[in-house]
Amino acid sequence: MMKNNLKYTVLALSLAWSSLALAQKKQEKMRTEEVNVVKSYTPTISDAFKIKETPLLSEEGRTSKENVKYNIFSFPVASTFTPSKGSAEDIEKEEIGRFYKSYATLGAGNYGTLNAELFATQDLNNEEYIAGMLRHLSSQGGIKGVALDNSFYDTSLDLTYGAEAKELSWNINLGYQNQIYHWYGLPTNFMDALTPTIHDIIVAGINPKQSYNTITLDSKIEFDESILEASSFKFAHFSDAFGSSENRFYAKPSFQFPAFGKQIKLNAIVDYLGGKFENNYTRTNSEPLEYGYTNFGLSPSYELEKDNWTLHLGLGLYYSLDTKNSNNKLFWYPQVTASHKIVGDLMIFYTGAEGGLDQNSYLNFVDENPFLSPTLQIAPTNKKYDVFAGLKGKLADNISYNIRGSFLDENNKALFKSNDFSANFNNQPYAYGNSLQVVYDNVKTVRFFGELKADITEAIHFGANGTFSVYNTKTQAEAWNLPAIQLNANVDYTINTKWYAGADVFFVGSRKDLQINTDLITFLPLTYVPTTLKSYIDLNAHVGYKHSERLTAFLKANNIANKAYQKWLNYPVQGFQVVLGANYKFDF
């Protein structure tokens, strides 16, 4: 084999040498020639010759798969590895200010304004505590164009004892309040026919001071896992400087128990009211006025939830005893509400019809209007029904809204109306047309309400609402002193950790009132045309500075527009008011 390879190699080398010699020889004889290219060269690729035969495998190449079985023998292996312990990552904690259980506030401003508060609480043990609150707000008056004293005082003291245990919590409160107001709202044409000297003498002889005193005792108890969920009661004794006296007691237990496969709620009430006015609003003032009512009420209800609907089905039953006139009545009221989530929490539709028997009282009337004469007719209001429907939800995560339309039908609705001029030289100081009375009428009301709340940022909070009402009275010429439009807006701004500020503004539309007689000499009706009280805007603002966790200073400004508007007929309010003060927190 090796000899043959050597032969082939020598032969190949001889052929290569011969070719090279021949090419060199021809190159010596080559000459120059012209070549004309007619067409560009286009290369092509010839078809490849593919092997189309399938190779055959011999029998020896075909082997069957073997089934292999695996057996794993497990045995423990000792490990000496110990993982290192990880450390928790530190989280930046937000500093939380200390919570103080007591505080004291003191502020003073123009018009001789003094505002003071003191609240203190002390834990007796893990469950029991005591607390007390002292409040005082007063002003020395000074309203321009007012002939009579227009100062006011409001002082109250409340003491509380409470206990919070696992099964129940309860408290009991004892309170006393003294309020002093003046009937300074003399008619604008008061005794125009008299000479200035006589006018001044008569005005100097009027002592328009009225004093109210309230003593209250109330308690509330809440149970855990009991048929009796909660119960509350309150006793209030109310009196004034003109011999008027009123006592009220009510108890309101609430029950919850299973029945017919549902959880039934039952609210009950027993409400007693009794009182007396020494005088009637006449020239002689010799006829006392007495009143007394005892109302019993039951209100069973239960809730149903299906799909996106929540239904609250209930009924109110009341029995009223008129203890002075033997005029007893039975009332029933719808108490049905429903809500439907149209788009989750973004849009919720709600509707319902509710009613009730509202117990009016001398105390409640004075809280709303302190310039009433102590010669009132007291009776409950029969709120037959309040049918309403609305939408509420969120426009965004930080913006919520609520719109509502309603129709109310109320019998014996209480309205404030000015007293006429029925005074003589030996009469009471509230009978110069400078006080208001209470009249009753059947009133139907169509009302629209809208509200918007927004947390613009974490530091800025805004809210606004408006109420539009249309009243239809049965016997009275107007819905006295009820505005058709009420608008309110407020904003709070936390500037930084030290400073905060805020403002609120409210608009009250025009109202109607009526005084038949405003002349001391003739006692003749000069006009029956109702008087229109102009609408007004009241703008208020405040700013505060937190010197420390304990001490905060504040500045409040009220009625910034300095408008001497009349909230009640012939009762202008104070102008621009400023109060500067401080608040101090502490613990015992």
Side-chain angles (χ1 to χ4, degrees), residues 77-86:
V77 177
S79 176
T80 59
F81 173 73
T82 303
S84 60
K85 296 182 180 179

Side-chain angles (χ1 to χ4, degrees), residues 476-489:
Q476 298 292 324
E478 299 284 349
W480 308 117
N481 282 292
L482 292 181
I485 302 176
Q486 290 181 287
L487 304 175
N488 302 275

Side-chain angles (χ1 to χ4, degrees), residues 41 64 118 197 225 242 287 291 312 341 372 487 490 521 549 578:
Y41 174 70
S64 60
L118 175 62
T197 302
E225 297 181 357
F242 290 81
E287 300 178 6
Y291 55 94
H312 179 91
K341 293 185 176 180
L372 298 172
L487 304 175
N490 64 83
I521 303 301
E549 288 187 352
V578 178

Side-chain angles (χ1 to χ4, degrees), residues 51-100:
I51 300 176
K52 298 182 181 180
E53 295 181 358
T54 303
L56 297 177
L57 297 177
S58 62
E59 294 296 331
E60 295 178 356
R62 298 179 181 179
T63 57
S64 60
K65 295 181 179 180
E66 296 290 339
N67 294 326
V68 181
K69 295 182 181 181
Y70 297 93
N71 293 324
I72 299 175
F73 299 95
S74 61
F75 57 91
V77 177
S79 176
T80 59
F81 173 73
T82 303
S84 60
K85 296 182 180 179
S87 58
E89 185 70 19
D90 292 336
I91 300 176
E92 185 177 354
K93 299 179 180 180
E94 182 179 356
E95 185 177 355
I96 301 176
R98 178 180 173 182
F99 176 76
Y100 294 92

Side-chain angles (χ1 to χ4, degrees), residues 30 43 45 93 112 311 318 332 414 490 492 506-507 526 546:
M30 290 180 63
I45 300 176
K93 299 179 180 180
L311 302 178
Y318 287 84
W332 71 274
N490 64 83
D492 292 307
F506 58 89
F507 170 83
L526 299 180
K546 297 181 180 180

Side-chain angles (χ1 to χ4, degrees), residues 236-404:
H237 174 74
F238 185 66
S239 60
D240 64 19
F242 290 81
S244 307
S245 178
E246 178 183 83
N247 294 314
R248 185 178 183 183
F249 171 81
Y250 64 79
K252 297 180 179 180
S254 299
F255 304 88
Q256 181 170 325
F257 52 89
F260 308 106
K262 302 291 182 181
Q263 286 293 326
I264 306 298
K265 292 185 178 181
L266 179 63
N267 295 327
I269 183 172
V270 178
D271 193 344
Y272 165 79
L273 177 71
K276 180 184 69 173
F277 296 103
E278 290 292 337
N279 299 316
N280 195 352
Y281 196 83
T282 62
R283 297 183 184 179
T284 58
N285 291 290
S286 59
E287 300 178 6
L289 297 172
E290 296 184 358
Y291 55 94
Y293 296 92
T294 304
N295 298 330
F296 302 91
L298 290 175
S299 178
S301 65
Y302 69 94
E303 286 189 356
L304 292 176
E305 293 185 1
K306 186 175 182 181
D307 298 331
N308 291 325
W309 282 94
T310 300
L311 302 178
H312 179 91
L313 305 177
L315 177 68
L317 298 174
Y318 287 84
Y319 187 71
S320 179
L321 300 176
D322 187 345
T323 58
K324 298 299 180 182
N325 301 311
S326 300
N327 185 16
N328 306 331
K329 294 181 180 180
L330 177 65
F331 304 92
W332 71 274
Y333 303 98
Q335 294 181 353
V336 179
T337 61
S339 63
H340 175 61
K341 293 185 176 180
I342 300 175
V343 188
D345 292 334
L346 300 179
M347 181 178 293
I348 301 174
F349 168 78
Y350 64 94
T351 184
E354 296 178 326
L357 187 64
D358 295 338
Q359 183 77 286
N360 296 314
S361 67
Y362 187 27
L363 172 59
N364 292 343
F365 285 150
V366 168
D367 287 341
E368 188 173 355
N369 184 351
F371 307 112
L372 298 172
S373 63
T375 58
L376 306 180
Q377 298 284 344
I378 304 294
T381 295
N382 175 19
K383 185 187 293 184
K384 298 170 63 176
Y385 53 82
D386 178 6
V387 181
F388 60 88
L391 290 173
K392 63 181 180 179
K394 294 182 178 180
L395 299 176
D397 290 340
N398 59 337
I399 303 176
S400 62
Y401 68 93
N402 183 15
I403 55 175
R404 167 176 170 155

